[in-house]
Amino acid sequence: MTSHPTPSLSLVAPTVGACPFADIVRTHVARTVVGQQVVVERVMIALLTGGHLLLEGVPGIAKTLIVQSVAKAIDLKFSRVQFTIDLLPSDILGSEVLDQKTGEFRLHRGPIFTNLLLADEINRASPKVQSALLEAMQERKVSIGDSSHELPAPFLVIATQNPIEQSGTFELPEAQLDRFMLRHRFSYPTPEEETEVVRRSLKLKLKRQGDGAVPMTAFDAIEEGARLHLKDLSSAMEAVQSVHVSEVFLRDCVDFVQLTRHHKDIELGCSPRAVLALVHASRARAYLHGRDYTIPEDFFALAEDVILHRMRLTYEALAVGRKPLDVVTELLRSLT
Amino acid sequence: MIGSLLAIVCLMNLVPPTRATDQSPTPRGITGSVTIAHTGELLRAKLDQELSSPLILRVTDLTPDLAPTAEHRYRIDFIGTVAGTFDLRPLIYHRDGTPAIGLAPMDATIISELPKKFGTDLFTVSAQPAFAISHYRTVIAAIAIIWIAIPIVVFVRRLIRNRPVALPPPPASAPTLADQLRPLVESAMTDGLSTRDQARLELLVMAFWSERRDFTSLNPAQAISKLRADPEASTLILAIESWLHQRGSVAPRPAHELSTLLDPFRAHGPIYLDEGSR
């Protein structure tokens, strides 16, 4: 399926000044990334809830830069794996290697032993590698040889997919997509944002290496000094846990997910995991907006990212040109 | 001795020179055959037999050879056109053209398998003209009736199908947001609302303001965000949020301040709020 990113309809500007944690991260990221505040918010929601995030967007819209900036802002260990067709599970998980000096097997940990793993173009790897990663995402531990190893806490996978160039890719099946708490589709920057990107690029200087030099990139501009640390993230996560969810809000979420199971254009409705994701993500969003309780705005803002990848339209609906986003919007409108 | 030989010769002369095998009746128009044994002059069928004669025959086989002194076996095939018993001998001649006198009786019985009313002559058997014509006409008439009936049936069926049916009464116009809000607000003020109704009330209030601010074309998330920032709509929406979502506020009935805000929604007819668009 080839689709071009369209401006998301659920872009709701985050409230500035309401949550110090969010403000610090946003400020840090904004030094290198122009706009994309909703994406930064989604990354923070994933971090605060321990969910995983799938980002979709065409190349060159700062997917990697955003994730790396967030990792630097909170002093998280960051790894990036470019998924390719010949990647093996051991390339991600690690393996036991024979130490020739001692004659014993030594554990070689793969890039998955990190806080924030960026799985770039996850759909280019074989299903075997995808399932190895998704299993680790679910259980938060990996088995190497005879032993099982806990992954660091926090552990978050942010995977990216390119919605174009689908040849030679292995599309993630619905069951595996369900493991991702949120799937967010990038939108192109506005003309003003794009102009600012160019302005900043023009200000980048050369990076000297000995007698040679290379032009600096946006990655070189990421500030090294972290403003936040793991204990700050843990405190924020605790605060999210204490965000109140009312019975009325729960009713809204459950009713909405139930609607996806009975709509004539939807072949596969959302699983109960969708309700869980919706409620947990709403709590994190409420925290990021400085509230200690969730409100319908949280639910409406996140519904698209939580629901879209968990449902499948019927062939009849697809044949007449209906799109999943249209159906979700219709369902949301039916609530109000 | 000589006397004995003479007696034998006399006996041989007394035995007829021709013997015919028995034959069963043959239907008209079907070839029948008879085999005869004959000693002496060779035989043949009469030449130039009339096609209209009741019976036609021919000699079809002769065994064992053509020696004139031996006994020969003749196979004689015949076809009868008229039912009856016929002597075959008048139609058999010697090879030299003389009549074959002295042959044993050779009767061929021709039978008719048709009912008796059709007579005995095959050539005179013909269908009753009236019979054939009446059936032909019947068939043609049946085809014609079907030919005409099909379009009539199709036309009538279409006529029945397209007959204007009594239209159901027009559905009652969909209740307006105000109509839907009124009973909920009324219940909220008096008996209190269930969780489901509280959720419904909140979403209806948002829908009401969304319609009033002409945000219906926006995505619901954007519309709600704008309403929460709207100086007039936000008063009620934020108050409902506090009532329904804040920790510890699980009262089925709204507090006094919110009741005041909801009061205009209890009235019948258009809802007039204390705002600029009034």
Side-chain angles (χ1 to χ4, degrees):
Chain A
M1 188 176 70
T2 302
S3 64
H4 296 285
T6 52
S8 171
L9 292 174
S10 67
L11 300 182
V12 178
T15 314
V16 178
C19 173
F21 175 88
D23 290 343
I24 291 170
V25 174
R26 284 192 194 108
T27 308
H28 190 97
V29 174
R31 291 183 198 282
T32 46
V33 179
V34 180
Q36 304 290 8
Q37 293 184 353
V38 176
V39 184
V40 176
E41 185 184 278
R42 297 297 186 266
V43 174
M44 284 194 284
I45 288 172
L47 265 174
L48 292 170
T49 55
H52 303 287
L53 177 62
L54 180 61
L55 294 176
E56 276 191 5
V58 292
I61 49 177
K63 292 190 290 284
T64 309
L65 188 63
I66 290 172
V67 177
Q68 201 163 340
S69 298
V70 172
K72 291 277 180 169
I74 315 177
D75 196 20
L76 296 173
K77 279 195 285 183
F78 171 78
S79 297
R80 177 177 178 273
V81 180
Q82 178 66 47
F83 278 50
T84 55
I85 183 69
D86 54 353
L87 197 73
L88 296 172
S90 59
D91 294 335
I92 302 171
L93 307 182
S95 58
E96 287 185 328
V97 293
L98 182 65
D99 190 333
Q100 292 190 344
K101 287 182 182 172
T102 60
E104 292 179 350
F105 279 100
R106 181 169 51 81
L107 177 68
H108 172 71
R109 291 171 185 262
I112 201 168
F113 288 89
T114 186
N115 295 124
L116 211 165
L117 175 69
L118 178 64
D120 228 349
E121 298 196 89
I122 190 172
N123 55 336
R124 295 213 174 270
S126 66
K128 194 175 178 179
V129 177
Q130 289 175 358
S131 60
L133 175 65
L134 293 165
E135 191 180 339
M137 286 162 57
Q138 181 74 14
E139 299 177 6
R140 296 184 191 280
K141 62 182 178 183
V142 294
S143 296
I144 302 171
D146 296 332
S147 53
S148 181
H149 303 272
E150 292 278 342
L151 292 174
F155 172 67
L156 174 70
V157 173
I158 297 178
T160 68
Q161 275 196 145
N162 185 349
I164 60 168
E165 294 178 27
Q166 292 294 301
S167 60
T169 63
F170 299 90
E171 194 177 354
L172 290 170
E174 276 81 1
Q176 295 194 345
L177 282 174
D178 200 28
R179 304 272 174 86
F180 288 98
M181 181 186 219
L182 303 169
R183 183 179 76 169
H184 184 75
R185 294 188 174 191
F186 269 71
S187 54
Y188 281 116
T190 61
E192 294 76 23
E193 288 171 345
E194 204 154 1
T195 309
E196 179 61 21
V197 169
V198 178
R199 278 203 197 101
R200 288 192 189 186
S201 170
L202 292 172
K203 287 179 186 170
L204 292 173
K205 297 187 170 69
L206 284 179
K207 187 166 69 175
R208 301 284 177 185
Q209 288 181 339
D211 291 337
V214 287
M216 286 179 74
T217 65
F219 287 94
D220 299 316
I222 297 175
E223 283 187 17
E224 285 296 327
R227 305 285 186 86
L228 296 166
H229 300 281
L230 275 181
K231 61 179 173 48
D232 299 314
L233 178 60
S234 301
S235 302
M237 289 170 85
E238 274 180 22
V240 169
Q241 295 286 325
S242 65
V243 169
H244 177 62
V245 179
S246 68
E247 285 297 315
V248 174
F249 185 83
L250 279 183
R251 172 65 64 181
D252 286 339
C253 293
V254 171
D255 283 352
F256 178 66
V257 170
Q258 290 276 334
L259 282 178
T260 67
R261 297 172 194 162
H262 302 110
H263 194 278
K264 64 179 173 54
D265 290 339
I266 298 176
E267 183 184 24
L268 178 70
C270 295
S271 67
R273 200 181 274 166
V275 185
L276 295 172
L278 197 51
V279 173
H280 287 291
S282 296
R283 286 213 300 194
R285 187 178 183 277
Y287 168 76
L288 294 173
H289 285 252
R291 280 180 274 109
D292 67 345
Y293 57 95
T294 54
I295 57 170
E297 189 195 55
D298 300 324
F299 155 75
F300 280 100
L302 291 166
E304 180 187 320
D305 287 357
V306 173
I307 297 297
L308 263 185
H309 62 290
R310 290 185 159 97
M311 61 178 224
R312 186 172 62 213
L313 295 192
T314 61
Y315 284 115
E316 291 81 2
L318 292 170
V320 297
R322 295 220 73 185
K323 291 178 180 171
L325 181 58
D326 300 335
V327 177
V328 169
T329 307
E330 181 189 313
L331 289 176
L332 287 171
R333 287 212 172 106
S334 74
L335 288 177
T336 58
Chain B
M1 183 66 177
I2 294 170
S4 302
L5 287 171
L6 287 171
I8 291 167
V9 169
C10 289
L11 283 171
M12 285 178 67
N13 286 332
L14 289 173
V15 174
T18 304
R19 286 179 285 111
T21 56
D22 293 334
Q23 56 123 3
S24 54
T26 306
R28 287 189 305 182
I30 302 299
T31 303
S33 70
V34 59
T35 305
I36 62 170
H38 177 70
T39 307
E41 196 68 29
L42 294 175
L43 302 176
R44 64 168 172 80
K46 180 188 175 185
L47 299 176
D48 304 327
Q49 294 179 51
E50 293 291 330
L51 285 176
S52 59
S53 64
L55 189 132
I56 302 169
L57 68 76
R58 62 185 179 129
V59 175
T60 54
D61 197 15
L62 171 62
T63 53
D65 54 44
L66 298 175
T69 55
E71 182 184 72
H72 299 98
R73 298 178 73 84
Y74 295 85
R75 177 188 162 105
I76 298 169
D77 288 348
F78 57 87
I79 296 175
T81 56
V82 177
T85 302
F86 301 94
D87 188 1
L88 302 180
R89 285 178 296 181
L91 298 174
I92 299 172
Y93 283 73
H94 289 131
R95 287 278 177 99
D96 60 1
T98 58
I101 301 167
L103 296 177
M106 280 182 276
D107 289 342
T109 303
I110 306 299
I111 57 168
S112 169
E113 293 188 334
L114 292 175
K116 287 182 179 175
K117 66 176 181 179
F118 290 106
T120 57
D121 191 344
L122 183 64
F123 294 113
T124 60
V125 171
S126 59
Q128 294 282 341
F131 176 81
I133 291 167
S134 68
H135 275 263
Y136 169 75
R137 285 180 175 169
T138 306
V139 171
I140 293 294
I143 292 171
I145 289 167
I146 293 169
W147 189 268
I148 295 165
I150 286 174
I152 292 173
V153 169
V154 170
F155 176 75
V156 170
R157 285 195 62 180
R158 285 190 180 174
L159 204 65
I160 292 169
R161 196 181 299 163
N162 296 336
R163 183 184 294 170
V165 293
L167 291 172
S173 57
T176 62
L177 287 170
D179 294 337
Q180 295 176 65
L181 269 167
R182 193 176 305 114
L184 288 172
V185 172
E186 193 64 43
S187 298
M189 302 294 191
T190 53
D191 307 325
L193 292 174
S194 65
T195 305
R196 177 179 290 273
D197 286 340
Q198 285 174 341
R200 184 86 192 120
L201 173 68
E202 183 179 31
L203 294 174
L204 279 173
V205 167
M206 287 179 186
F208 174 83
W209 274 105
S210 185
E211 193 177 273
R212 181 156 285 212
R213 288 288 181 261
D214 201 16
F215 292 160
T216 47
S217 59
L218 293 177
N219 178 276
Q222 287 177 309
I224 292 170
S225 180
K226 282 177 176 287
L227 289 177
R228 292 186 82 242
D230 186 282
E232 287 159 353
S234 63
T235 312
L236 177 59
I237 289 171
L238 295 179
I240 293 177
E241 280 179 4
S242 299
W243 171 40
L244 298 179
H245 299 291
Q246 273 192 358
R247 195 187 302 274
S249 58
V250 290
R253 278 194 290 266
H256 176 68
E257 287 179 11
L258 180 55
S259 297
T260 312
L261 290 171
L262 285 172
D263 209 38
F265 293 92
R266 299 173 74 179
H268 286 271
I271 297 171
Y272 293 108
L273 301 174
D274 193 14
E275 53 155 341
S277 61
R278 186 171 176 171

